[in-house]
Amino acid sequence: MQNGGFDVIVIGGGPGGYTAAAKASALGGKAAVVERSALGGTCLNLGCIPTKTLLKSTEVLESVKKAKDFGVDISEVKVSPEKILNRKQGIIKRLNTGVEFLMKSHNITVFRGEGKVTGVDEVTVTTPSEQIVLKTRNIIIATGSRPAAIPGLEPDGHWIMNSDQALMLTSIPEKLLIIGGGAIGVEFASIYRKLGAQVTLVEAMDRILPFADREVSDALKQLMAREKIVVLTESKVAGIQKSAEGLLVNVETPKGLKEIQTDKVLVAVGRRPEYEGLGLPEIGVTVEKGKIAVNSKMETNIPGIYAIGDVTGGILLAHVASAEGTVAAVNAMGGQKHMNYKVVPSCIYTSPELASVGLSEEQAVSRGLKIVIGKSQFTGSGKALAMGENKGLVKIVAEAVSGKILGVHILGAQATSLISEAALAINLGAAVNDIADTIHAHPSLPETLLEAAEEAVKLIDREKNDPISKL
């Protein structure tokens, strides 16, 4: 069966894919999306949304446990994994419906099946009952990623899990060992620990979240230790033995071999671009180092074929995929738009949350920049104290002379919301005095940004020997 006449066909219905299709339609194009499973991709179905839903359940649990501190007596606290799971699935279903409505409202045709690029202007969709050949002027590949595996530690759905399987919790293991101290690993460590599991986190690097500002990631590690999460850095799993009691895991640490008894192992070592079976080698699309090569316009080496999101192996974040989808769609419809990665917030939904944007202190120093560091602690925030969430800090990295904000790093309550002010400031080229001179509501958590900015301004003024700083 042949179906033709599309301006843009997007393979993959995740945040990047459906955003690209909607943008192409808004620009007057006839667009289609090919999706083999549920719309919304990994983010909606197996990533961002379900993990944050589980994290909210654990936050409620923590609040209930601490209720007496707020003058509220609660006699019994029980966790129902089944109800938590049902709530998660309900939210996913509701958002799936929302994406479907978005497609309908933009007159985007959705084809359910496996998509394959069978020509520079052709996509073949395979369904259980037929093959449909679609003709198009442009193709956008948005097939996302899959959980990375470790040879010899492949998920079996029982003893060893990947991040997808860890979301389908029907019971809480007494003991859980997590391999990988990146965003996925630390978020699951937070989730399962608050649900009652004894958690051990194993990371090969010398610290967790190696992409984050070191001071902030070290502070998070300390807070995790207070929650009795065992974090083993510079360590690797050397072997696993099954026994009647569960699993015996041998971990190579800087202090020697350590044997750890656990019920389950979660492999959380990141994700890998998923492009196999798309027919890319046959049409000559360049794949380098396990990812589809693109330029700043999200173009592959083949005219009219674009790639966006995780499949390009860049920054594996849903909001980045959406931005790339917009760029690809504009260019597919005849525009000239380039992707700008200068301001990309990174959010880690632990407890407390960690969020960053711009340069870390280490990155700024490595570039030879003369900087100042402005800090404030959540312990000094009236709002944080009232909330019972007074752990963490705000750190601003700024140029020493101009005060231009280079990076902001927040560990604390609602950090993933607070980071938006910082992202806007960097995008506008603002200096620390711009934040310091802006009236912030009191009492509020954004005051922590204000105080960090004021600290940075003082340091800059002292270097200039400005008499105002002495007042």
Side-chain angles (χ1 to χ4, degrees):
M1 177 182 173
Q2 191 172 74
N3 194 322
F6 290 102
D7 294 298
V8 176
I9 292 178
V10 183
I11 304 178
Y18 67 69
T19 298
K23 186 64 175 180
S25 176
L27 293 173
K30 183 180 179 183
V33 170
V34 179
E35 174 54 60
R36 66 185 179 187
S37 56
L39 289 171
T42 296
C43 175
L44 196 161
N45 297 285
L46 296 167
C48 322
I49 301 303
T51 53
K52 280 55 188 179
T53 304
L54 296 182
L55 280 164
K56 182 59 184 178
S57 291
T58 64
E59 288 174 9
V60 172
L61 176 62
E62 282 294 292
S63 295
V64 172
K65 287 181 177 179
K66 296 177 181 178
K68 285 186 179 180
D69 297 339
F70 294 84
V72 179
D73 289 330
I74 297 175
S75 59
E76 185 180 15
V77 180
K78 292 178 65 177
V79 174
S80 170
E82 181 182 0
K83 290 182 179 179
I84 291 175
L85 189 63
N86 288 341
R87 179 176 182 271
K88 172 179 73 72
Q89 293 304 118
I91 290 172
I92 291 172
K93 184 177 180 180
R94 181 173 178 176
L95 291 173
N96 285 146
T97 302
V99 178
E100 289 173 359
F101 177 78
L102 177 69
M103 297 296 95
K104 290 179 181 178
S105 65
H106 281 80
N107 296 315
I108 296 166
T109 307
V110 177
F111 294 92
R112 304 282 184 171
E114 292 277 352
K116 183 175 182 178
V117 183
T118 47
V120 294
D121 62 350
E122 183 179 279
V123 173
T124 298
V125 182
T126 301
T127 73
S129 59
E130 62 178 339
Q131 280 195 334
I132 308 170
V133 179
L134 308 175
K135 290 293 184 178
T136 182
R137 294 194 303 111
N138 299 279
I139 299 169
I140 299 177
I141 300 168
T143 45
S145 60
R146 65 180 184 278
I150 300 175
L153 293 174
E154 290 81 7
D156 58 15
H158 178 64
W159 300 101
I160 301 174
M161 306 181 290
N162 60 25
S163 56
D164 292 353
Q165 295 160 339
L167 289 168
M168 305 304 293
L169 71 170
T170 54
S171 62
I172 310 302
E174 183 179 338
K175 298 177 181 179
L176 174 66
L177 185 140
I178 300 175
I179 304 174
I184 298 172
V186 296
E187 286 188 6
F188 274 110
S190 184
I191 290 171
Y192 274 93
R193 178 66 194 121
K194 291 189 182 304
L195 289 174
Q198 297 177 34
V199 177
T200 300
L201 186 68
V202 179
E203 168 55 45
M205 302 289 284
D206 64 347
R207 61 187 175 115
I208 60 171
L209 302 175
F211 55 84
D213 183 271
R214 179 178 286 275
E215 181 180 11
V216 178
S217 68
D218 285 347
L220 176 61
K221 180 182 176 182
Q222 292 174 8
L223 292 176
M224 292 173 70
R226 291 184 195 175
E227 296 292 329
K228 297 184 179 179
I229 297 173
V230 178
V231 180
L232 302 175
T233 52
E234 298 183 88
S235 303
K236 295 182 180 180
V237 171
I240 296 179
Q241 298 176 346
K242 297 176 183 177
S243 67
E245 292 78 26
L247 298 174
L248 184 64
V249 182
N250 294 318
V251 180
E252 294 177 352
T253 76
K255 296 181 179 180
L257 193 67
K258 186 180 183 68
E259 291 186 342
I260 300 174
Q261 192 79 38
T262 189
D263 298 314
K264 291 183 183 293
V265 170
L266 167 58
V267 178
V269 290
R271 300 183 68 86
R272 296 290 180 267
E274 188 162 23
Y275 53 81
E276 291 83 359
L278 288 173
L280 303 185
E282 290 83 347
I283 61 171
V285 172
T286 299
V287 176
E288 297 176 341
K289 298 179 181 179
K291 57 187 180 183
I292 299 176
V294 294
N295 60 19
S296 62
K297 296 171 70 176
M298 309 316 298
E299 298 169 324
T300 68
N301 61 306
I302 304 297
I305 298 182
Y306 302 78
I308 62 172
D310 290 7
V311 77
T312 66
I315 304 173
L316 309 189
L317 296 171
H319 45 282
V320 173
S322 296
E324 291 173 342
T326 296
V327 170
V330 168
N331 294 326
M333 293 302 297
Q336 295 292 322
K337 191 173 180 65
H338 294 262
M339 187 63 196
N340 180 5
Y341 298 100
K342 179 183 176 184
V343 184
V344 177
S346 174
C347 298
I348 313 297
Y349 295 83
T350 45
S351 180
E353 296 176 344
L354 189 155
S356 301
V357 64
L359 300 181
S360 66
E361 180 180 355
E362 296 78 29
Q363 289 171 330
V365 170
S366 69
R367 295 185 185 188
L369 299 173
K370 188 177 181 181
I371 60 173
V372 295
I373 304 294
K375 298 180 191 175
S376 69
Q377 303 292 329
F378 273 69
T379 51
S381 166
K383 181 64 179 291
L385 286 167
M387 294 168 59
E389 300 284 350
N390 61 330
K391 295 175 286 189
L393 75 155
V394 173
K395 178 177 181 178
I396 297 179
V397 182
E399 287 185 350
V401 177
S402 68
K404 183 179 180 180
I405 301 170
L406 302 173
V408 178
H409 311 274
I410 306 173
L411 174 66
Q414 298 180 23
T416 59
S417 296
L418 296 176
I419 202 65
S420 293
E421 179 180 349
L424 179 61
I426 293 176
N427 193 49
L428 294 175
V432 284
N433 63 286
D434 293 314
I435 292 181
D437 291 341
T438 299
I439 298 174
H440 287 62
H442 175 78
S444 69
L445 293 178
E447 287 178 299
T448 55
L449 273 166
L450 170 66
E451 291 164 2
E454 289 174 338
E455 178 65 23
V457 169
K458 287 181 182 179
L459 294 173
I460 293 170
D461 288 345
R462 285 172 188 168
E463 289 201 9
K464 293 178 180 179
N465 197 28
D466 190 331
I468 293 179
S469 66
K470 299 176 182 178
L471 297 179

